[in-house]
């Protein structure tokens, strides 16, 4: 009996020692908006440093919650935390590090209609309010002379979980439609007047692909990766820019001039001839003081890497790289993280 | 009327078989597409990078079932032994009642329970929490089957052991239980396949992991959660892997459940 | 022979207190006592776990119940932003899904059980039963996959247009998407079918052959014999099977969340999207941003557990009742 105990103890000791030499592993959760880019980043970073960033794309709302609960080491969100939300954090503060900028595309699945359907603010709001119910509606047709629209019911697909993408989308609709502002409002989870729900950008894209006549709001990378059709949304200047790196960067210009110190800002419905109207930042969330010094160092190193190397891979996935002036400010912020 | 009712019954049978066949056909035909070596030995890769797999999910499911068994087996077998050997009291009646209640608990509730008592205090998702949630589901199944098979052990064996002067507890453990051990093992296998198929309780206990879980205190991938994640995504490669995952999981579950059912009926026959 | 057996049996019953012959029975006593204690402790863990879960859910619900009172359970509102919560929409989705599942799987399960026990040759019986029970081994998430990619489009393309014409309003109003209460109910029906069938089979097999034989001897047709001699006395057992199936249907999470549409709404339209208690918890638990939200989700869990538990108790009572009745009827 004691023999067995001795052997078991020795084994446990060996495993314990061995585990120290295993790679460092950090857990993160949040935005599905940034997931295509984030997963690529973490994969490349792991290949070069061996450090494992286990990121789960469960939605911005969940990312914030799990960070506040302390079950993950970092979060990611496309809806910045409010002051009240941050009260729950130790130090009552959560550092928002802008990681990238992305566009929310309006994807649809209408047989016979290619990509590039033009929609203005009023029509978009009307569709998502459940007022415009068929693809052959006069309002849509008026904006798209020359396209034959079928007699097909519109199925709205929205997020079922707490989503930063929803926050960006509803933030835009609130700005451009008083009716929307009055009935639905903005936030990571709103009461949708109509439609079915999907969990994550992934599921919304998946459902739009499945259902004929569906329309949903999805991050651009998902739309392009799956070769889905997307709409051209009229911006404040009256033009219909393509959702792209250029139009997102243009949209951010105004916000960059008045960037607050904590980087918490929205730039939907931006001014400018070529600005895409529905886009925003994704922030990585960390505490200003990270208790575990090994993890803290790994986090800071990664964030700096993301500002340099990371930005280079953003454009291949159609995320807009951060402008250099902003990167400089962000790096100063990263330097304030204590571990 | 006679003919009509018989026809209806057979129609019901046919109607039940259609979904089963459709499901099996789908899982096999779509699952074979990614049924390759990569699937079994590689970790998941980001979208667009070929060659990803579900190796960590397969190991994760096995780990979770192992932890669940470590929780569920001692409690379940001991409770089952109690019910069969000392089970005439009112307390035993209470235990049986609550075992039934426990077996009917919606699995997501066991997840909430494990979250509250393990994930929150530990400040982290872990295979331990997931295994614990699954373990609580195994307890009533194992207890019930253990009670059943141990009861079948003939009284003559117990009497013989006592007549030889062996203490009661030794006779239960070394004679009675040992005789029934294959039945108990079958019960364990049945319970294990039942929990290996669970998804809901893992969503916020073992969470998920893109890499290998370094020990039971880390979140881990599992087949069911990974299948779910991939299935609701829009990427073709991921959806293909979801089907392959479904195929592998189904194969494991069917084989183990078939084997254990056959052993169980054989046991019932021989012990009678 | 008899007397030695009964004295040994008595010795067995007496447990550690009764003195078996032989030296060192005080040592036996201690060992036995500890062992029994260990087993009792393990057995006690069962009610502790179950009651513990119930208690934990209940205490976690205090926050939201304190705010909304019992009104929470009949309220439709679910607004995490304004922190207004109510369980009604999810309870509706859960109950309607289970009701549809039961309406389909109930008669089908009984019919299949009959086909197996009454109408098929003995050799085929085991095979037929095995095939349907294979369905029971299929993991829930695979049913969800199948439901999402096969059942939902199939129903949407072929069945919904027919149903929209007849019976039409108010239960089948288009246009649907395939992700709705109806699909959810059907998928769950297939999942609970093996349960219903297996229990019915046991119940029918428990009916003594003498009953069937007497009916046939009196000149009834095969079906009449079945109806009088098998179905009638088994009715409580059948109801028990249905309730057990319902219990499983209520708790079903993954398959439902993948096909129900995830839209907390109450409407008579079965082709409309909805949401269920379990599905809501699965979707929202990790991201409940406020304590009130978490409390509301725990309250949903409590409601679900409560309904399931009550049904479980009723089912056990009924199946036990039929077993007793069979003993008294067919005892000879």
């Amino acid at each position: 009996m004691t023999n067995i105990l001795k052997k078991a103890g020795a084994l446990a000791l060996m495993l314990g020692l061995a585990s120290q030499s295993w790679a460092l592993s950090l857990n993160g959760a949040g935005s599905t908006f940034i997931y295509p880019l984030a997963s690529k980043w973490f994969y490349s970073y792991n290949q070069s440093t061996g450090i494992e960033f286990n990121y789960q794309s469960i939605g911005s709302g969940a990312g914030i919650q799990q960070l506040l609960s302390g079950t993950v080491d970092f979060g990611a969100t496309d809806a910045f935390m409010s002051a009240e939300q941050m009260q729950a954090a130790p130090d009552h503060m959560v550092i928002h590090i802008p990681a990238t900028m992305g566009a929310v595309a309006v994807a649809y699945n209408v047989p016979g209609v290619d990509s590039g359907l033009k929609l203005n603010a009023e029509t978009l709001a009307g569709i998502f309010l459940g007022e415009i119910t068929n693809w052959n509606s006069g309002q849509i047709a008026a904006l798209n002379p020359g396209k034959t629209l079928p007699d097909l019911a519109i199925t709205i697909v929205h997020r079922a979980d707490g989503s930063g993408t929803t926050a960006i989308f509803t933030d835009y609709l609130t700005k451009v439609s008083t009716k929307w502002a009055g009935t639905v409002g903005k936030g990571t989870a709103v009461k949708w007047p109509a439609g079915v729900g999907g969990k994550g950008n992934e599921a919304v894209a998946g459902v739009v692909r499945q259902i004929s006549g569906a329309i949903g709001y999805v991050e651009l990378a998902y739309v392009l990766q799956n070769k889905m059709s997307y709409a051209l949304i009229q911006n404040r200047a009256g033009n219909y820019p393509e959702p792209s790196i250029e139009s997102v960067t243009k949209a951010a210009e105004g916000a960059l001039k008045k960037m607050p110190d904590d980087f918490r800002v929205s730039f939907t419905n931006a001014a400018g001839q070529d600005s895409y109207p529905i886009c925003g930042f994704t922030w990585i969330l960390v505490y200003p003081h990270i208790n575990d010094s090994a993890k803290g160092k790994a986090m800071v190193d990664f964030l700096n890497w993301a500002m340099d190397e990371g930005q280079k891979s953003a454009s291949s996935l159609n995320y807009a790289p951060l402008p250099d002036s902003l990167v400089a400010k962000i790096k100063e912020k990263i330097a304030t993280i204590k571990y | 009327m006679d003919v009509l009712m018989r026809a209806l019954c057979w129609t019901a049978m046919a109607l039940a078989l259609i979904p089963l066949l459709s499901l099996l056909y789908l899982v096999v035909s779509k699952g074979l597409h990614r049924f390759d070596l990569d699937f079994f030995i590689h970790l998941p890769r980001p979208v667009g990078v070929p060659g990803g797999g579900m190796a960590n999910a397969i190991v994760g499911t096995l780990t979770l079932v192992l932890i669940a068994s470590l929780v569920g087996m001692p409690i379940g077998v001991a409770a089952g032994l109690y019910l069969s050997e000392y089970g005439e009291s009112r307390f035993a009646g209470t235990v049986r009642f609550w075992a039934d209640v426990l077996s009917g608990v919606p699995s997501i509730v066991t997840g909430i329970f494990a979250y509250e008592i393990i994930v929150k205090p530990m400040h982290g998702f872990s295979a331990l929490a997931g295994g614990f949630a699954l373990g609580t589901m195994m307890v009533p199944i194992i207890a019930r089957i253990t009670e059943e098979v141990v009861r079948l052990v003939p009284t003559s064996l117990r009497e013989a052991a006592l007549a030889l002067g062996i203490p009661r507890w030794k006779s239960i453990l070394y004679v009675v239980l040992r005789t029934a051990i294959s039945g108990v093992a079958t019960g364990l296998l049945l319970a294990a396949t039942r929990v290996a198929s669970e998804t809901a309780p893992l969503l916020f206990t073992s969470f998920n992991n893109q890499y290998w879980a370094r020990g039971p205190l880390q979140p881990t991938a599992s087949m069911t959660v990974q299948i779910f994640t991939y299935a609701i995504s829009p990427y073709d490669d991921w959806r293909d892997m979801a089907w392959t995952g479904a195929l592998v999981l189904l194969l494991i579950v069917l084989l183990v459940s078939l084997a254990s059912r056959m052993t169980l009926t054989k046991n019932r026959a021989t012990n009678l | 022979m008899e007397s030695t057996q009964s004295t040994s049996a008595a010795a067995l019953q007496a447990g550690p207190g009764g003195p078996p012959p032989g030296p060192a029975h005080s040592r036996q006593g201690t060992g036995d006592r500890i062992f029994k204690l260990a087993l009792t402790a393990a057995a006690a863990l069962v009610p502790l776990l179950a009651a513990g879960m119930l208690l934990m859910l209940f205490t976690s619900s205090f926050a939201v119940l304190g705010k909304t009172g019992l009104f929470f359970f009949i309220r439709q509102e679910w607004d995490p932003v304004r922190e207004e919560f109510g369980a009604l929409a999810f309870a509706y989705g859960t109950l309607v899904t289970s009701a549809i599942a039961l309406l389909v799987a109930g008669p089908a399960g009984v019919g299949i059980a009959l086909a197996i026990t009454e109408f098929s040759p003995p050799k085929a019986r085991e095979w037929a039963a095995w095939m349907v029970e294979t369905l029971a081994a299929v993991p829930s998430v695979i049913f969800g996959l199948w439901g999402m990619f096969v059942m939902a489009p199939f129903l949407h393309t072929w069945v919904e247009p027919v149903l929209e014409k007849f019976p039409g309003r108010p239960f089948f109003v288009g246009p649907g998407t395939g992700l709705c209460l109806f699909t959810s109910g059907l998928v769950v029906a297939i999942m609970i079918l093996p349960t219903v069938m297996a229990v019915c089979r046991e119940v029918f097999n428990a009916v003594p052959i003498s009953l069937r034989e007497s009916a046939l001897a009196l000149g009834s047709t095969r079906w009449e014999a079945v109806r009088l001699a098998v179905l009638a006395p088994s009715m409580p057992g059948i109801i028990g099977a249905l309730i057990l199936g319902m219990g499983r249907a209520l708790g079903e999470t993954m398959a439902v969340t993948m096909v129900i549409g995830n839209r907390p709404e109450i409407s008579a339209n079965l082709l409309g999207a909805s949401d269920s208690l379990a599905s809501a918890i699965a979707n929202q638990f990790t991201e409940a941003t406020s304590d009130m939200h978490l409390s509301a989700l725990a309250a949903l869990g409590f409601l679900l557990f409560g309904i399931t538990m009550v049904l479980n108790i009723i089912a056990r009572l009924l199946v036990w009742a039929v077993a007793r009745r069979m003993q008294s009827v067919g005892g000879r």
Side-chain angles (χ1 to χ4, degrees), chain A residues 58-59 61-63 65-66 85 153 155 158 160-162 186-199 207 210-212, chain C residues 77-82 148-149 153 156 175-179 261-263 265 273 282-291 294:
Chain A
I58 55 176
Q65 182 54 22
Q66 293 313 312
Q85 280 179 309
T155 301
H158 56 74
D161 51 335
K186 62 181 181 182
T188 53
V190 298
K191 268 191 79 174
W192 293 95
V196 294
K199 197 164 156 52
V207 173
Q210 282 281 97
I211 298 178
S212 187
Chain C
E77 197 70 19
W78 188 269
D79 193 339
V81 177
R82 284 165 39 230
M148 217 168 74
F149 290 114
H156 179 49
T177 60
L179 300 177
N262 297 312
R263 184 182 175 67
E265 197 167 79
N283 276 332
Q284 300 181 32
F285 197 77
T286 44
E287 64 183 43
T289 44
S290 63
D291 285 334
L294 260 177

Side-chain angles (χ1 to χ4, degrees), chain C residues 88-98 181 260 265 274-277:
Chain C
L88 196 62
F90 304 103
Y92 178 77
T94 299
L95 289 169
V96 172
T97 300
S98 308
L181 277 171
I260 199 170
E265 197 167 79
S274 185
D275 209 354
S276 79
L277 293 167

Side-chain angles (χ1 to χ4, degrees), chain B residues 88-112:
Chain B
E88 307 304 321
S89 60
R90 266 191 65 190
F91 176 61
T94 316
V95 171
R96 285 198 189 91
F97 169 75
W98 284 107
D100 275 343
V101 171
L102 199 55
S103 67
V105 172
S107 59
I108 192 138
V109 169
T110 62
I112 302 180

Side-chain angles (χ1 to χ4, degrees), chain A residues 45 50 83 135 138 155 177 190 205 216 218 234 281 285 295 315 322 337:
Chain A
Y45 197 71
W135 283 104
T155 301
S177 162
V190 298
V218 208
Q234 190 178 45
F281 281 119
L285 302 174
K295 284 189 180 180
S315 42
L322 301 172
I337 299 173

Side-chain angles (χ1 to χ4, degrees), chain A:
Chain A
M1 190 61 179
T2 32
N3 224 350
I4 301 175
L5 278 175
K6 274 193 208 158
K7 286 187 188 160
L11 187 65
L13 188 64
M14 271 172 26
L15 282 172
L17 289 173
S19 68
Q20 298 303 332
S21 62
W22 277 342
L24 185 59
S25 172
L26 285 88
N27 294 313
S31 161
T32 60
F33 187 87
I34 197 185
Y35 186 66
L37 183 60
S39 63
K40 195 157 176 211
W41 277 354
F42 294 132
Y43 183 69
S44 316
Y45 197 71
N46 175 251
Q47 304 242 290
S48 55
T49 65
I51 300 181
E52 297 174 347
F53 281 81
N54 172 32
Y55 180 74
Q56 295 305 323
S57 120
I58 55 176
S60 301
I64 293 174
Q65 182 54 22
Q66 293 313 312
L67 179 69
L68 290 174
S69 304
T71 49
V72 294
D73 302 305
F74 66 95
T77 176
D78 340 301
F80 58 80
M81 293 173 75
S82 67
E84 288 129 359
Q85 280 179 309
M86 291 201 282
Q87 284 303 311
D91 304 330
H92 304 301
M93 226 267 277
V94 176
I95 296 186
H96 289 61
I97 303 285
T100 191
M101 306 185 284
V104 178
V106 178
Y108 54 85
N109 174 0
V110 183
V113 179
D114 291 331
S115 202
L117 200 63
K118 290 188 178 155
L119 296 173
N120 62 11
E122 206 191 310
T123 317
L124 191 63
I127 293 175
F128 277 85
L129 278 169
E131 288 167 357
I132 303 176
T133 54
N134 197 306
W135 283 104
N136 63 7
S137 112
Q139 265 192 282
I140 305 179
L143 295 166
N144 296 278
K147 287 211 194 239
T148 13
L149 300 166
D151 174 17
L152 178 62
I154 299 182
T155 301
I156 296 162
V157 187
H158 56 74
R159 293 285 290 272
D161 51 335
S163 152
T165 319
T166 301
I168 298 177
F169 189 64
T170 53
D171 183 60
Y172 166 74
L173 284 176
T174 309
K175 284 182 183 168
V176 300
S177 162
T178 36
K179 187 146 190 214
W180 184 272
T183 39
V184 186
K186 62 181 181 182
T188 53
V190 298
K191 268 191 79 174
W192 293 95
V196 294
K199 197 164 156 52
N201 262 301
E202 297 91 339
V204 173
V207 173
V208 172
R209 276 187 74 191
Q210 282 281 97
I211 298 178
S212 187
I215 184 171
Y217 57 93
V218 208
E219 207 284 327
L220 185 63
Y222 292 90
V223 165
L224 295 172
Q225 277 173 339
N226 291 285
K227 303 195 180 27
M228 298 168 76
S229 302
Y230 54 91
L232 299 175
I233 311 294
Q234 190 178 45
N235 65 13
R236 224 206 284 187
N239 301 324
Y240 290 89
E242 280 270 335
S244 69
I245 298 170
E246 291 79 28
S247 55
V248 170
T249 312
K250 281 273 160 46
E253 266 171 22
L256 289 170
K257 293 193 190 110
K258 314 173 272 174
M259 180 65 69
D261 275 333
D262 59 6
F263 306 116
R264 291 158 63 225
V265 72
S266 141
F267 54 93
T268 50
N269 200 32
Q273 292 292 321
D274 307 307
S275 305
Y276 184 70
I278 322 179
C279 43
F281 281 119
T282 301
W283 297 268
I284 294 182
L285 302 174
V286 286
Y287 286 132
H289 185 99
I290 300 178
N291 287 328
D292 184 325
S293 54
K295 284 189 180 180
K297 178 167 191 322
M299 196 72 229
V300 166
D301 286 344
F302 171 76
L303 287 173
N304 283 316
W305 179 92
M307 290 301 114
D308 298 319
E309 286 298 312
Q311 296 303 314
K312 294 183 190 156
S313 47
S315 42
S316 61
L317 284 168
N318 280 278
Y319 289 88
L322 301 172
D324 292 330
S325 53
L326 185 58
V327 167
K329 283 199 205 148
I330 297 173
K331 282 190 168 173
E332 281 170 21
K333 191 61 140 194
I334 296 175
T336 68
I337 299 173
K338 296 193 181 14
Y339 49 91

